[in-house]
Amino acid sequence: MADSYFPPTPPHDADSVDHQLHNDMSAPNIALNGAAPPPNGTTGTKDAPGRMSLKLSHLPSRQIIKPIYPRSPSAVDPNNPPWPAYRGYHEYSFAYATMGQRLPTILGKGIEDVVVTLNQEYDEERVVDLVQCIERMDALMGELQAQAKLRPIIDDGEADVALWNKLIAKYFHGKTFMNAPWLFAEAYKYRRLQECFSISKFWKSYDVFFRQKCDTFSRSNEAVFELSMRFAEPFKLKDGLSPDQKLEAERLMFKELTQICLWGNSTDLSLLINMTEDQIRSLQSTGGANLAATEKNILGNHMQKLWETALTLRSNTGGRVDFVLDNAGFELYCDCVYADFLLQSGLAKEIRFHGKRYPWFVSDVTKKDWTWLLNTMVYGQLFPKASDEEKESLRRLGLRWKQYEKEGKWIYEQHPFWCTGFTFWELHNEAPDLFLHLSRSDLVIFKGDLNHRKLTYDCAAPPSTDFEIAIGSMASAAGAPRICSMRTIKSDVVVGLGPEGDELAERLDKEEPGWKISGKYAVVLLSEGRPGEKVVFM
């Protein structure tokens, strides 16, 4: 039944079909095979009359030639990653289900949300404008289902239009939603969704997923208050501890909060659209016993190295830590709890949060999501069944975070590059200002699955591949910052599992089919980069 739902598999590459047709028209009229030609000198085949057939019985057998991966740097481009790309027609990949089922489902739910908004409008001009947005969404749905070719982005005034159209013209001309690399095709769909509203008159900043993001946070009440009741006031270590005991207490707290920050990424709206409240609570459990049980599921675990890096920052009177954010709502809340601890403990003195300029991959953080979270914590009535103590704990936490913003200790930023179809391998060349900015950070934490996919070019690298190799110039370029990827595994690419990683992945493939998309497993991977070196742009 599942096979009938998905679209048929297209040719691997439309360009290769055109190339073959050209070869057939221009090649000599000779057929090479193992049979002698008939007396009239032709093969006698219906589709190739008059072709000469040569018998090749004495030549060596055809050889099996395996490509060599990774590709050399000069051969890598957005359509040809270092290792083979995942594409929508790959039935063995999560790309197949995403392009054939998940994206149309997500877009359909977005249309339903806009219809709700439409039915609440009364001004005719605004209503007509929104109806046109829905019509553009319907057209996008038709293109998705028809596996249409990717067209250029309409100039809607956004700073990323030129970057998008450069990519499409140079690397993806003639490509479709199904045969372009999955990462690019999926990102393109969300850019097209933004275009549905950005060219309107009244609805340029509309977020079709905002209600869902708010609802997911409201359904996270148990985990939200578990943390707010512990961190409403600045934390204090027990009196009478020796310096070594204080350091160990901080290490254990750092380890637990790192896991909370990591597993908060389990709440990804694009994957949890139909999840029940009990299932969400299970994913968001922050109890100590649960964290101890889940650490064994961190398949690539550099938490100890991360702790040592944080101590180095403190020995230098604290440093700058950047978070490249992923999901809004509960995950953002966990990120902020973690960032709060880094400030209070002196492990950092400045935190910069990098979000998206517009709605992206359903639940990615925008400035609207950031502001909504802090204001809801301080002023909101989102949890009517909470006790007065719980509500007050959340309010105090929110007030402290707002104070961090006023003092410049927390800074929210949104660079156009984060919403392009480029992977982070191209960040150095395509957004040199952003690379230079990040090079001044002491530690850049990339949150979530999408950021990990962009770091690693979202390709079929062996699981044993070193993280620093997998992220290319983000580790090897002069001035590259220290990078930590905190990611619950929810798509095909898996790297950084160590020398035995290939065997581990093969075992999980057999014992737990679907382990790469379940969110059960995770990685915390660290790249030392080349901090302090002078950044050079060619």
Side-chain angles (χ1 to χ4, degrees):
M1 293 296 291
D3 291 341
S4 63
Y5 184 88
F6 294 117
T9 301
H12 283 218
D13 192 331
D15 292 342
S16 67
V17 176
D18 295 338
H19 180 70
Q20 183 61 48
L21 288 173
H22 174 77
N23 285 348
D24 288 346
M25 295 175 66
S26 60
N29 206 23
I30 297 175
L32 303 180
N33 56 48
N40 62 4
T42 69
T43 60
T45 57
K46 180 181 180 181
D47 59 337
R51 296 188 71 186
M52 179 66 70
S53 179
L54 300 182
K55 186 176 181 179
L56 306 180
S57 57
H58 299 291
L59 298 185
S61 301
R62 290 173 60 88
Q63 301 176 15
I64 298 175
I65 308 297
K66 294 185 178 181
I68 298 175
Y69 295 106
R71 291 183 172 95
S72 64
S74 62
V76 171
D77 65 50
N79 191 44
N80 297 286
W83 285 268
Y86 297 106
R87 301 178 191 265
Y89 60 77
H90 289 158
E91 297 184 30
Y92 60 82
S93 166
F94 194 40
Y96 187 68
T98 295
M99 301 309 297
Q101 178 182 10
R102 288 179 58 240
L103 290 193
T105 299
I106 290 168
L107 182 56
K109 288 186 176 293
I111 293 173
E112 292 173 4
D113 177 273
V114 182
V115 170
V116 171
T117 300
L118 178 69
N119 292 336
Q120 296 170 347
E121 281 294 323
Y122 63 90
D123 181 84
E124 183 177 11
E125 195 174 1
R126 289 173 58 85
V127 166
V128 171
D129 198 30
L130 191 56
V131 166
Q132 293 172 347
C133 294
I134 296 173
E135 290 172 349
R136 288 189 285 269
M137 294 176 76
D138 285 334
L140 177 58
M141 177 71 83
E143 290 182 42
L144 265 176
Q145 294 173 334
Q147 304 171 29
K149 291 183 178 181
L150 311 181
R151 66 155 173 80
I153 300 297
I154 295 174
D155 189 351
D156 55 5
E158 266 294 335
D160 62 358
V161 173
L163 288 174
W164 273 103
N165 290 340
K166 171 185 173 181
L167 268 171
I168 294 170
K170 191 172 182 179
Y171 300 107
F172 303 113
H173 179 69
K175 291 291 188 291
T176 70
F177 281 97
M178 293 299 282
N179 65 19
W182 169 30
L183 178 59
F184 180 82
E186 190 172 9
Y188 174 82
K189 175 261 180 184
Y190 285 101
R191 183 58 180 90
R192 285 285 306 279
L193 179 58
Q194 169 64 12
E195 181 191 280
C196 293
F197 297 92
S198 60
I199 61 176
S200 69
K201 182 178 180 180
F202 299 104
W203 304 95
K204 294 181 183 297
S205 61
Y206 189 80
D207 184 349
V208 299
F209 305 115
F210 184 68
R211 268 189 281 259
Q212 295 181 51
K213 288 184 275 191
C214 297
D215 181 60
T216 300
F217 186 68
S218 69
R219 294 161 66 189
S220 307
N221 58 308
E222 290 184 11
V224 167
F225 291 123
E226 176 74 24
L227 292 172
S228 68
M229 292 293 289
R230 294 172 182 268
F231 291 100
E233 298 296 332
F235 79 90
K236 294 181 180 179
L237 297 175
K238 294 179 180 179
D239 294 332
L241 296 179
S242 69
D244 286 345
Q245 289 174 324
K246 288 182 180 180
L247 187 63
E248 178 63 10
E250 283 185 318
R251 186 188 71 82
L252 293 174
M253 191 181 301
F254 176 87
K255 184 177 177 180
E256 288 200 358
L257 285 172
T258 299
Q259 283 207 68
I260 288 171
C261 188
L262 168 68
W263 294 110
N265 173 244
S266 295
T267 310
D268 183 335
L269 277 178
S270 69
L271 294 169
L272 308 186
I273 287 176
N274 298 312
M275 186 164 278
T276 67
E277 290 192 23
D278 287 342
Q279 289 171 318
I280 289 176
R281 289 194 192 100
S282 176
L283 281 173
Q284 295 173 339
S285 175
T286 57
N290 181 70
L291 291 176
T294 56
E295 186 175 359
K296 69 180 186 302
N297 292 338
I298 303 176
L299 303 181
N301 190 346
H302 293 173
M303 277 199 291
Q304 181 59 33
K305 291 182 181 179
L306 186 61
W307 167 244
E308 292 166 2
T309 297
L311 287 181
T312 301
L313 299 187
R314 183 161 66 183
S315 67
N316 295 326
T317 68
R320 168 184 152 188
V321 176
D322 289 53
F323 283 78
V324 181
L325 298 169
D326 189 36
N327 295 315
F330 182 70
E331 181 179 354
L332 176 59
Y333 176 77
C334 292
D335 295 340
C336 289
V337 170
Y338 192 51
D340 192 354
F341 168 77
L342 294 178
L343 280 182
Q344 290 187 51
S345 60
L347 298 172
K349 60 182 179 183
E350 177 186 317
I351 309 287
R352 291 178 179 263
F353 299 89
H354 300 264
K356 307 302 191 297
R357 291 173 63 88
Y358 46 76
W360 190 247
F361 279 69
V362 182
S363 51
D364 279 30
V365 178
T366 64
K367 183 60 185 285
K368 181 178 180 179
D369 299 320
W370 170 269
T371 305
W372 176 87
L373 175 66
L374 298 186
N375 286 335
T376 293
M377 292 172 67
V378 175
Y379 306 110
Q381 303 293 322
L382 199 63
F383 304 103
K385 296 182 180 180
S387 67
D388 291 341
E389 292 81 3
E390 289 172 330
K391 292 177 183 178
E392 179 60 19
S393 70
L394 194 60
R395 189 183 74 86
R396 292 185 186 184
L397 198 57
L399 286 172
R400 186 164 73 246
W401 294 354
K402 278 178 166 287
Q403 187 61 32
Y404 289 155
E405 276 198 300
K406 291 178 182 178
E407 296 172 354
K409 295 178 180 178
W410 280 14
I411 302 166
Y412 182 90
E413 303 176 350
Q414 46 186 22
H415 193 281
F417 182 82
W418 301 124
C419 289
T420 69
F422 285 108
T423 72
F424 298 157
W425 277 53
E426 286 93 15
L427 195 155
H428 181 273
N429 293 327
E430 300 297 338
D433 59 324
L434 179 57
F435 185 88
L436 187 63
H437 182 49
L438 294 177
S439 74
R440 296 172 180 143
S441 178
D442 295 289
L443 175 66
V444 182
I445 299 173
F446 285 85
K447 289 297 307 296
D449 196 68
L450 175 61
N451 284 325
H452 189 87
R453 290 169 64 192
K454 287 205 164 193
L455 278 170
T456 60
Y457 230 124
D458 197 41
C459 54
S464 59
T465 304
D466 288 343
F467 180 58
E468 292 190 333
I469 297 297
I471 66 175
S473 61
M474 291 300 287
S476 63
R482 292 184 187 89
I483 285 175
C484 177
S485 178
M486 293 187 189
R487 174 232 189 176
T488 54
I489 300 172
K490 291 178 286 192
S491 63
D492 296 282
V493 60
V494 177
V495 299
L497 302 194
E500 307 300 323
D502 296 347
E503 290 76 11
L504 173 60
E506 289 177 5
R507 178 172 60 79
L508 287 173
D509 284 338
K510 294 177 182 178
E511 297 177 0
E512 299 183 46
W515 68 275
K516 291 181 179 178
I517 62 174
S518 66
K520 175 181 176 181
Y521 295 98
V523 292
V524 178
L525 300 173
L526 187 68
S527 164
E528 290 296 333
R530 295 170 62 182
E533 296 186 30
K534 183 179 179 180
V535 177
V536 178
F537 299 111
M538 303 302 290

